[in-house]
Amino acid sequence: MKKLTKWQFAIIGVVAILFIGGVTFALVKHNENGGLKTNVSSSKSSSKKEMITKTSETKERQKSSSSQSSSSSQEETTQWQTRVDTKNLTENQFEQWVAITQSNQMQGTHSLRITVSKSNGNLYQATLDYTATQIDSVNTYKVNSSGELEAVDPEHYPAMKVVSQSFPDIKQNQLTTNQINMWVVAIQDALFEQKGMKPGIDVVYDLENSADGNVANVKVFEINYTPSTNGGADNINKTLVNEFRINSDGNLEIKDVNSETGYRIISKIYMDISMVQ
């Protein structure tokens, strides 16, 4: 066997280097191409999933926002539907509006009667007077064609001015003393009329208020004047007629010896007299 010359060794080395380099280059190229394809595919898949997730989240937010908007709209509609149309009041609603408005202007405690009628234009109007005296009216109210409540303007009598543009929020278990008094007067007047007596003409009366915890009590006293024997001022004789109270539910009760509780409900709606029998 012949020994290889130095040149032959050199040629074999070059060939070996070229072969190894080619294989390595091919492997690297393959890995690069494969890796690139894998990364691109993975990136596209990740990007697609992210887009789907974001789209889903956006739809959920839109759905939630739409639901909240719908709920808010329904609530506003419900609130609007429960509002009182001041251009189409019932007589009871008109009395309520007058009683609340008048009581907010009063100083001190008084028992006032509200007498309702209708004008030529079929609009409600009312006069207020004291139950304990026979004098001219304390105030006058009416509803104008715009559905606003007007009262006498003291500075420009007998002209009237707008005193309220919206119907008041009435909480029957949070009424003031004067508001309770006007409710009691409405009921007591109806009771007197049942007996054929005209309140303010045939009979005058006054109220006395007291509180028992959270319960408001009202006593009705008929007033009779008798001449003094010595020619002085008339004597005032008071006779207890009825006793009322507002219960915890905001209903007006009247004392009744035939009731197990000692009282019975005589009015459930502020200023309403429909339960008087």
Side-chain angles (χ1 to χ4, degrees), residues 3-269:
K3 292 183 180 180
L4 296 175
T5 65
K6 291 181 180 180
W7 286 106
Q8 289 174 330
F9 272 116
I11 292 171
I12 292 171
V14 170
V15 172
I17 290 172
L18 290 174
F19 176 78
I20 294 171
V23 171
T24 302
F25 176 78
L27 289 172
V28 170
K29 190 69 176 175
H30 172 75
N31 287 338
E32 285 181 350
N33 290 339
L36 179 61
K37 289 180 180 178
T38 300
N39 289 340
V40 170
S41 176
S42 175
S43 176
K44 287 183 178 179
S45 176
S46 175
S47 177
K48 185 176 181 180
K49 288 180 180 179
E50 187 176 356
M51 289 178 65
I52 292 173
T53 301
K54 288 184 177 179
T55 302
S56 177
E57 290 176 352
T58 301
K59 288 182 178 180
E60 286 298 322
R61 285 197 297 269
Q62 291 175 343
K63 183 178 179 181
S64 175
S65 176
S66 176
S67 176
Q68 290 176 355
S69 176
S70 176
S71 175
S72 175
S73 177
Q74 288 177 356
E75 183 178 355
E76 289 177 1
T77 301
T78 301
Q79 291 176 350
W80 175 255
Q81 288 174 344
T82 59
R83 292 177 185 173
V84 173
D85 181 1
T86 57
K87 290 184 179 181
N88 295 284
L89 295 169
T90 64
E91 183 172 335
N92 178 236
Q93 290 171 336
F94 176 65
E95 282 186 290
Q96 291 174 338
W97 199 359
V98 170
I100 297 296
T101 303
Q102 177 66 30
S103 66
N104 290 337
Q105 300 173 356
M106 294 170 63
Q107 295 181 350
T109 302
H110 304 284
S111 55
L112 295 178
R113 172 181 296 109
I114 301 174
T115 303
V116 177
S117 60
K118 280 193 172 183
S119 65
N120 293 333
N122 206 34
L123 298 173
Y124 285 115
Q125 57 188 23
T127 56
L128 280 75
D129 60 86
Y130 295 108
T131 64
T133 57
Q134 295 173 325
I135 61 174
D136 293 337
S137 63
V138 175
N139 205 344
T140 301
Y141 287 87
K142 72 175 183 180
V143 174
N144 62 28
S145 58
S146 298
E148 301 168 320
L149 186 66
E150 295 184 354
V152 170
D153 184 355
E155 296 181 359
H156 303 89
Y157 183 84
M160 303 187 77
K161 64 178 181 180
V162 174
V163 292
S164 181
Q165 294 178 309
S166 58
F167 195 82
D169 181 23
I170 302 173
K171 297 180 180 179
Q172 293 185 187
N173 55 358
Q174 297 180 23
L175 298 174
T176 66
T177 298
N178 282 319
Q179 290 165 358
I180 293 172
N181 284 350
M182 281 187 268
W183 194 0
V184 169
V185 168
I187 300 299
Q188 186 58 63
D189 277 359
L191 291 171
F192 277 133
E193 289 175 351
Q194 274 190 344
K195 297 179 179 180
M197 294 185 287
K198 184 67 175 177
I201 297 176
D202 300 327
V203 59
V204 293
Y205 61 94
D206 202 1
L207 309 180
E208 288 186 5
N209 304 89
S210 63
D212 182 11
N214 294 326
V215 179
N217 298 289
V218 184
K219 292 182 178 180
V220 178
F221 291 91
E222 182 180 351
I223 299 175
N224 292 294
Y225 298 93
T226 57
S228 174
T229 55
N230 58 9
D234 290 348
N235 292 319
I236 300 176
N237 300 312
K238 292 185 176 182
T239 305
L240 180 63
V241 177
N242 275 316
E243 295 183 51
F244 296 88
R245 73 179 186 185
I246 303 291
N247 64 24
S248 58
D249 294 326
N251 298 319
L252 183 63
E253 297 181 333
I254 187 171
K255 195 166 187 178
D256 186 353
V257 294
N258 297 319
S259 172
E260 292 181 1
T261 61
Y263 284 85
R264 63 179 173 86
I265 296 175
I266 195 168
S267 182
K268 292 184 177 181
I269 301 173

